[in-house]
Amino acid sequence: MTDMKKIRFWWIFRRGKKKYLVPSTVCICGVGTIVLVAILNVFSAVTRSYEGPPHSILNTTRFVTGVRKMTSPRVRPTQVKRETSNVILDIDEGPEAAYMIHDLPDTDRHAQSGQIPETDTFYVDDYEKIDENAQKSHERGKLQKISKGAAKRLPKALIIGVRRCGTRALLTFLRVHPDIRAPGPEVHFFDKHYHKGLEWYRKQMPATLSSQLTIEKTPSYYVIKGVPEKVHRMAKHIKLIVVVRDPVSRAFSDYVQLASKHSDIRTFEELAFLNNATGLVDTSWSVLCNGVYSKSLVRWLQYFSLNQIHFVSGERLVADPAGEIAKVQDFLGLKRIITSKHLYFNKTRGFPCVKKHERHGKPRCVGVNGAKHYPTVTPRLVKRLRDFYRPFNKRFYEITGEDFGWDDHK
Ligand SMILES: Nc1ncnc2c1ncn2[C@@H]1O[C@H](COP(=O)(O)OS(=O)(=O)O)[C@@H](OP(=O)(O)O)[C@H]1O
């Protein structure tokens, strides 16, 4: 007599490359099979937490066994494999997974038409937000995996400053390069988070292939004592990039930023002078002393050679961004991929912008889209500041071997 039982559990058996799906409770034929049923059911109870075979296996076994109807299994995320074109994404691969490098935006439609619709421009006050999102996408495995060799790596180059000299614009332009990757926000490792250790720092970096260069920008590094030594301890052969601009306009820009955060701030003039009558400058005010580039440079040169440091002129970054970026690519040992075809001058902003970013497909400008209000200052103050900076500028030109031309205008 044949006694049919309800099939509740399925087992997969491999034989060579083939997989077989076998019901845990089988057709019972006669008394002799009772022992087998008991064994199988005990086995089933032990493994009841198992949430079902992966889809891929189900598909195979469904075919092999000819079983058409199965309850849909709950699948563990780690087991899901999604196929995207001809590559496979492992969803739960962890941070070391490798992902697609974007194509260069060299077939920009605006570039071809020669017209940039400024209304279409993506103004990013916080470039970082975009990159954070991209990073999250990475973690969700939304970008194509291309290799197993990607990993988060410590930076091989740093943009160390100077604050308010065009560091964001520089990094925005450099991000166009497929061999450059940078973390989203400023990491502030060497000035604020040093106690967290190098492993923490490394984890802030995006995953890169060994052929790619990780670069980090924190403009406060340049002026903070102790940072050069810490950087040297991490990587004595690291490449350093310093953006500099006329220290007088840098100071005004710095002040405007401060004022945007502190509405009760005193006037520039009040803060700049220790004694307004004599015109004695307060060199302890960070807005002014951050522009004494030579002083900070001497500190860096105690640990790094001059040829490890590349200086970008903030003025040329605006007037001739492609020329300035070409030199940075050379310094970093990268192919000159970023050229004038990736950049355009945005008349509304008064600054060069990236024509199109590969991730969101819109032109990209740095900073707030609005008129800049520098502090109203007297010509006397400007002259006093110029007199103050002149000897330091001269020293800076001597050390770097380059005249940045800040003292040409009288
Ligand atoms: N392409 C482009 N787009 C926008 N802004 C540009 C660009 N190139 C240089 N600059 C100058 O950058 C100044 C801000 O400097 P930073 O980016 O270094 O500022 S920050 O330290 O990161 O806050 C900012 O200073 P101010 O506008 O004078 O405030 C700009 O002069």
Side-chain angles (χ1 to χ4, degrees):
M1 202 181 110
T2 303
D3 186 8
M4 295 295 290
K5 294 264 179 187
K6 194 179 169 196
I7 296 169
R8 288 182 61 204
F9 302 100
W10 298 83
W11 296 99
I12 299 157
F13 292 98
R14 284 171 192 263
R15 193 180 169 85
K17 285 186 177 175
K18 285 186 179 169
K19 298 174 188 104
Y20 299 93
L21 195 67
V22 177
S24 66
T25 310
V26 295
C27 297
I28 303 166
C29 308
V31 180
T33 56
I34 288 174
V35 176
L36 174 63
V37 171
I39 292 169
L40 285 171
N41 280 337
V42 167
F43 207 21
S44 300
V46 170
T47 55
R48 207 158 281 181
S49 58
Y50 177 61
E51 292 164 324
H55 275 304
S56 53
I57 297 177
L58 279 179
N59 291 339
T60 319
T61 49
R62 207 174 289 174
F63 181 76
V64 170
T65 59
V67 176
R68 292 247 152 240
K69 206 173 163 201
M70 293 178 73
T71 45
S72 91
R74 284 192 291 134
V75 179
R76 287 185 295 190
T78 44
Q79 293 172 312
V80 175
K81 288 193 186 248
R82 259 192 296 147
E83 290 186 18
T84 311
S85 59
N86 56 352
V87 291
I88 294 177
L89 301 173
D90 273 12
I91 284 186
D92 201 8
E93 279 214 318
E96 305 297 296
Y99 300 99
M100 178 179 74
I101 302 175
H102 305 281
D103 292 328
L104 265 185
D106 55 2
T107 50
D108 190 279
R109 67 194 154 89
H110 300 307
Q112 283 159 9
S113 69
Q115 288 201 329
I116 305 297
E118 300 207 345
T119 48
D120 200 23
T121 301
F122 193 81
Y123 292 111
V124 193
D125 189 26
D126 250 332
Y127 189 103
E128 292 81 34
K129 278 181 198 148
I130 296 298
D131 224 61
E132 268 173 38
N133 289 339
Q135 203 118 339
K136 282 178 193 158
S137 297
H138 274 208
E139 275 146 28
R140 287 197 301 268
K142 281 195 172 163
L143 302 179
Q144 273 182 304
K145 177 182 162 191
I146 57 164
S147 142
K148 281 270 179 194
K152 289 172 180 252
R153 297 163 213 272
L154 288 169
K156 290 207 178 108
L158 293 178
I159 299 174
I160 54 175
V162 177
R163 198 182 134 70
R164 306 307 301 166
C165 285
T167 55
R168 291 169 84 193
L170 175 66
L171 187 59
T172 302
F173 300 159
L174 288 179
R175 283 181 197 267
V176 172
H177 202 296
D179 292 338
I180 292 181
R181 299 280 285 116
E186 288 173 7
V187 180
H188 286 276
F189 174 62
F190 295 103
D191 57 343
K192 286 185 188 162
H193 301 292
Y194 196 64
H195 60 282
K196 293 182 180 168
L198 278 180
E199 189 51 17
W200 176 89
Y201 188 38
R202 190 185 65 80
K203 282 185 180 156
Q204 310 312 306
M205 302 300 144
T208 52
L209 299 174
S210 56
S211 57
Q212 289 179 304
L213 185 138
T214 304
I215 191 164
E216 194 247 319
K217 164 193 107 93
T218 299
S220 50
Y221 289 163
Y222 187 69
V223 297
I224 295 181
K225 284 181 191 157
V227 169
E229 188 189 349
K230 289 173 186 165
V231 174
H232 187 262
R233 221 178 283 155
M234 178 190 79
K236 55 180 185 238
H237 299 298
I238 200 161
K239 296 185 178 187
L240 305 168
I241 297 173
V242 186
V243 190
V244 284
R245 80 191 266 206
D246 171 16
V248 176
S249 41
R250 196 216 70 83
F252 293 150
S253 171
D254 210 348
Y255 176 80
V256 171
Q257 233 219 358
L258 263 185
S260 71
K261 290 175 186 158
H262 308 276
S263 52
D264 56 345
I265 194 170
R266 287 154 64 202
T267 66
F268 188 99
E269 206 135 355
E270 281 168 347
L271 290 163
F273 291 126
L274 277 175
N275 183 326
N276 207 337
T278 59
L280 189 64
V281 166
D282 183 356
T283 52
S284 69
W285 188 32
S286 65
V287 165
L288 291 187
C289 69
N290 286 351
V292 182
Y293 305 136
S294 56
K295 228 175 141 190
S296 303
L297 181 57
V298 168
R299 278 204 296 266
W300 282 92
L301 289 175
Q302 285 170 2
Y303 295 91
F304 298 94
S305 65
L306 196 58
N307 58 23
Q308 268 177 278
I309 310 175
H310 179 75
F311 298 92
V312 173
S313 155
E315 286 81 9
R316 284 197 303 264
L317 196 61
V318 177
D320 176 23
E324 213 57 19
I325 293 295
K327 285 187 266 178
V328 177
Q329 292 173 96
D330 291 350
F331 171 71
L332 294 175
L334 298 173
K335 247 173 99 178
R336 282 193 185 187
I337 285 178
I338 313 163
T339 63
S340 55
K341 73 178 177 183
H342 298 111
L343 307 167
Y344 77 101
F345 191 82
N346 184 306
K347 289 188 212 117
T348 317
R349 296 267 308 129
F351 283 115
C353 299
V354 172
K355 270 181 189 162
K356 181 182 140 189
H357 193 279
E358 64 268 31
R359 278 201 280 276
H360 49 70
K362 281 184 177 177
R364 155 157 291 184
C365 290
V366 180
V368 183
N369 182 22
K372 183 129 281 172
H373 299 293
Y374 280 144
T376 314
V377 289
T378 60
R380 173 181 171 265
L381 172 95
V382 177
K383 181 179 179 315
R384 186 64 201 98
L385 290 179
R386 295 224 167 278
D387 291 345
F388 166 69
Y389 281 120
R390 190 168 296 109
F392 296 114
N393 290 346
K394 188 165 173 277
R395 182 82 191 105
F396 186 69
Y397 301 162
E398 281 165 8
I399 302 173
T400 58
E402 187 177 350
D403 185 338
F404 287 85
W406 301 317
D407 299 301
D408 293 348
H409 40 78
K410 271 277 149 194

